[in-house]
Amino acid sequence: MNPYRLCPEYDTKRFFLRLVRTEDAQDLLRCYSDASAVARMNSDACTNDFYYTNIEQMQQAINFWLQEYKEERYVRFSIIERCGDREIGTVEMF
């Protein structure tokens, strides 16, 4: 299965993973604007430090991730916590 033709989704009892969406920006900003969380993120070989302090920066990051997906470089999934029904972070897969 080619994830760039049909992006897979992963569903568990506690989490749901799917391709990141622009409407995820507000929830994801909670994670990416937390300096202590960002300090623990693995950003090897990335173009920035993943620290975003406003919604515009978060939206730009998501648009970048979606462009990378379109160009078949990697898939950036949003992690949705079932109990809060909100995005709590992302994970990238090659």
Side-chain angles (χ1 to χ4, degrees):
M1 179 166 116
N2 183 337
Y4 300 109
R5 289 201 179 106
L6 178 63
C7 189
E9 296 180 344
Y10 301 94
D11 200 356
T12 72
K13 189 175 185 177
R14 296 185 59 201
F15 301 101
F16 177 60
L17 278 70
R18 56 142 171 80
L19 183 63
V20 69
R21 298 177 184 163
T22 54
E23 57 266 23
D24 298 344
Q26 193 65 51
D27 283 345
L28 290 176
L29 185 59
R30 280 192 289 250
C31 173
Y32 287 96
S33 66
D34 181 337
S36 63
V38 169
R40 292 176 176 80
M41 291 181 190
N42 182 1
S43 61
D44 58 317
C46 291
T47 59
N48 65 48
D49 62 3
F50 290 104
Y51 183 61
Y52 310 122
T53 57
N54 61 60
I55 195 70
E56 292 80 15
Q57 290 172 322
M58 190 74 248
Q59 289 169 333
Q60 287 174 353
I62 292 171
N63 288 333
F64 175 79
W65 295 333
L66 291 171
Q67 184 62 38
E68 293 289 287
Y69 174 76
K70 184 178 177 181
E71 294 175 11
E72 299 187 3
R73 292 195 172 98
Y74 56 84
V75 180
R76 174 73 65 157
F77 292 95
S78 282
I79 304 168
I80 298 121
E81 185 178 40
R82 290 269 183 216
C83 68
D85 195 33
R86 65 185 175 105
E87 292 77 6
I88 59 168
T90 66
V91 63
E92 180 179 295
M93 293 184 198
F94 292 88

